[in-house]
Amino acid sequence: MTIKVLLADDQALVRAGFTSLLARAEGIEVVGEAGTGDEAVRTARALRPDVVLMDIRMPVMDGLAATRTIVADPDLPDCRVIVLTTFETDEYVFAALRAGASGFLTKETEPDDLRQAVRSVAAGDALLSPSVTRRVIEQFAHRPEPAAAGRDGAARLAVLTAREREVTRLIATGLSNDEIAAQLFISPLTAKTHVTRAIAKLDVRDRAQLVILAYETGLVRPGG
């Protein structure tokens, strides 16, 4: 099936560049563009894309608000958002995760990486590299104790098996499925199955949201 992509960026040249790169990929089609956050929301509702490439700094409504609106829309349950950012200078990584973004790309992303990112997110995976996970950890390290920790956190996590809980903990430390498999002496497919089940049981959208929940419930603590 063709993956439908919506590009949201206030710079026409950036949109043209991403459109050109994605046009060369088999099975990916850019179905629309938006120059503001509110336009991105309207266009997403009209075209129902599988993936939205969302810039953060846009007029009228910024990318964070647009991401939050799209993710919360019950009519767009399968729409995933990839935030366009620059890790070195962008202070919005944590906020974008909380808004519901499934991952991040820089505007200097290599063409093959861009295409693979779109395919991965459309398939339900998250673009959450160890470097991004570390930034999430750093954010939590400067926050007070998680509000949901303690008994509330334990109750939320009670639906998980011991193995699913361990896999969730390892995800939150920044490990990939292959690295988790190696550490637990299981196959990568089994590791992925545990991840999928944990996501379903905890009712979160993807791996990125699983990391947030691991810290909010106290399953993992910064520096622990």
Side-chain angles (χ1 to χ4, degrees), residues 129-152:
S129 67
S131 63
V132 176
T133 302
R134 282 194 293 273
R135 286 185 174 270
V136 174
I137 293 170
E138 289 167 5
Q139 288 279 356
F140 273 100
H142 292 90
R143 288 169 174 259
E145 285 292 299
R151 284 179 296 179
D152 290 345

Side-chain angles (χ1 to χ4, degrees), residues 167-183:
V167 167
T168 300
R169 186 186 68 79
L170 293 174
I171 287 172
T173 63
L175 297 189
S176 67
N177 286 351
D178 287 347
E179 290 167 335
I180 291 171
Q183 183 158 328

Side-chain angles (χ1 to χ4, degrees), residues 11 15 31 86 119 150 153 176 199:
Q11 298 184 46
R15 298 198 304 271
V31 295
T86 52
R119 293 189 179 100
S176 67
I199 287 172

